[in-house]
């Protein structure tokens, strides 16, 4: 799954550590999600969605659809 | 959501506290095992009552460690939990397969010494550490 997490983080001028603190996960988890190595659970995806004020489908895209 | 301690203010601090608690309980368990193993010979001359007390203490602290380990696991984030569980699954598989094969070597007299449970514990510890390192690298 592709995502715009890195872009959104850059728009807020946040470090991975800051985003990890906001999401209550480790920095490694933020890094793995940004690199597409790990797909977050639905609850975490919703948390990211709420944090950035955008719908989930605008942050995460299924690669098979693109 | 999805976090056992999501209502706590600082997730990282909670995780550090869980890790410290697990380290303390693990250290205590190792100490009780050492006392139960060496105490009869070195401290109380094989007094059966004291030996039973030492073994029961080891079991009690051991189950406490298992409980704390459960809290530790629940306190991890979802990626850390996945890495932990993958390493644990690998360890269980390697431990069972190699443990049974090791016992078999003795049964069919291909080795001349008795298989020791400690050898299996060392193998499982190394496997778990290897699994954790591989998991960390995989998601780097």
């Amino acid at each position: 799954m592709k995502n715009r997490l890195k872009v959104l983080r850059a728009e807020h001028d946040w470090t991975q550590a800051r985003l990890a603190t906001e999401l209550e996960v480790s920095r490694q988890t933020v890094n793995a999600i940004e690199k597409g190595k790990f797909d977050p659970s639905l609850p975490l995806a919703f948390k990211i969605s709420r944090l950035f004020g955008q719908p989930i489908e605008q942050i995460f895209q299924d690669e098979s659809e693109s | 959501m999805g976090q056992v301690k999501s209502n706590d203010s600082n997730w990282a601090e909670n995780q550090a506290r869980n890790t410290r608690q697990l380290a303390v309980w693990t250290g205590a368990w190792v100490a009780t095992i050492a006392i139960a193993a060496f105490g009869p010979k070195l401290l109380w001359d094989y007094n059966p009552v004291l030996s039973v007390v030492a073994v029961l203490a080891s079991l009690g602290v051991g189950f406490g460690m298992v409980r704390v380990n459960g809290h530790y696991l629940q306190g991890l984030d979802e990626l850390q939990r996945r890495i932990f569980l993958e390493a644990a699954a690998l360890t269980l598989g390697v431990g069972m397969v190699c443990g049974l094969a090791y016992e078999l070597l003795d049964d069919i007299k291909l080795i001349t010494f008795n298989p020791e449970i400690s050898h299996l514990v060392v193998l499982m510890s190394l496997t778990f550490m290897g699994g954790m390192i591989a998991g960390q690298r995989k998601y780097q």
Side-chain angles (χ1 to χ4, degrees):
Chain A
M1 198 185 315
K2 289 194 301 184
N3 67 76
R4 296 176 53 241
L5 197 58
K6 192 172 183 177
V7 174
L8 292 169
R9 180 171 63 78
E11 284 174 1
H12 285 71
D13 199 21
W14 285 351
T15 62
Q16 286 185 339
R18 166 76 193 278
L19 179 56
T21 302
E22 297 287 339
L23 296 172
E24 295 186 314
V25 297
S26 63
R27 194 196 60 79
Q28 180 194 18
T29 298
V30 169
N31 185 54
I33 294 171
E34 283 187 359
K35 288 186 171 178
K37 290 185 175 182
F38 175 68
D39 292 331
S41 65
L42 204 50
L44 182 55
F46 272 114
K47 203 169 187 176
I48 293 168
S49 165
R50 279 197 304 274
L51 182 66
F52 290 115
Q54 296 194 13
I56 284 182
E57 61 270 25
Q58 284 190 18
I59 302 175
F60 298 95
Q61 291 92 36
D62 187 355
E63 282 179 290
S64 62
E65 289 180 359
S66 57
Chain B
M1 287 201 305
Q3 302 280 336
V4 167
K5 298 183 175 179
S6 59
N7 53 344
D8 289 337
S9 58
N10 194 321
W11 177 83
E13 276 181 19
N14 288 328
Q15 195 181 35
R17 190 180 63 228
N18 288 345
T19 304
R20 279 195 303 273
Q21 282 182 346
L22 181 57
V24 167
W25 276 88
T26 303
W29 175 68
V30 171
T32 58
I33 284 284
I35 291 170
F38 299 111
K41 184 179 180 183
L42 302 176
L43 297 176
W44 55 77
D45 194 25
Y46 296 98
N47 180 312
V49 175
L50 291 176
S51 295
V52 167
V53 168
V55 170
L56 288 177
S58 171
L59 282 171
V61 175
F63 282 118
M65 179 187 69
V66 170
R67 183 181 56 82
V68 170
N69 195 33
H71 285 304
Y72 170 80
L73 183 58
Q74 291 299 315
L76 296 176
D77 74 25
E78 53 194 65
L79 175 59
Q80 293 170 326
R81 207 175 302 151
R82 175 183 286 190
I83 292 170
F84 187 102
L85 290 177
E86 284 178 357
L90 177 68
T91 303
L92 178 65
V94 168
M96 194 172 73
V97 170
C98 293
L100 288 174
Y102 191 34
E103 172 66 23
L104 188 64
L105 288 178
D106 180 49
D107 292 344
I108 59 178
K109 308 210 183 301
L110 282 177
I111 55 175
T112 55
F113 53 92
N114 285 330
E116 296 284 344
I117 192 72
S118 56
H119 297 163
L120 184 60
V121 171
V122 168
L123 173 69
M124 292 177 76
S125 301
L126 292 174
T127 304
F128 185 74
M129 279 194 288
M132 288 295 287
I133 291 169
Q136 299 286 346
R137 293 174 65 109
K138 178 179 173 184
Y139 294 106
Q140 246 177 11

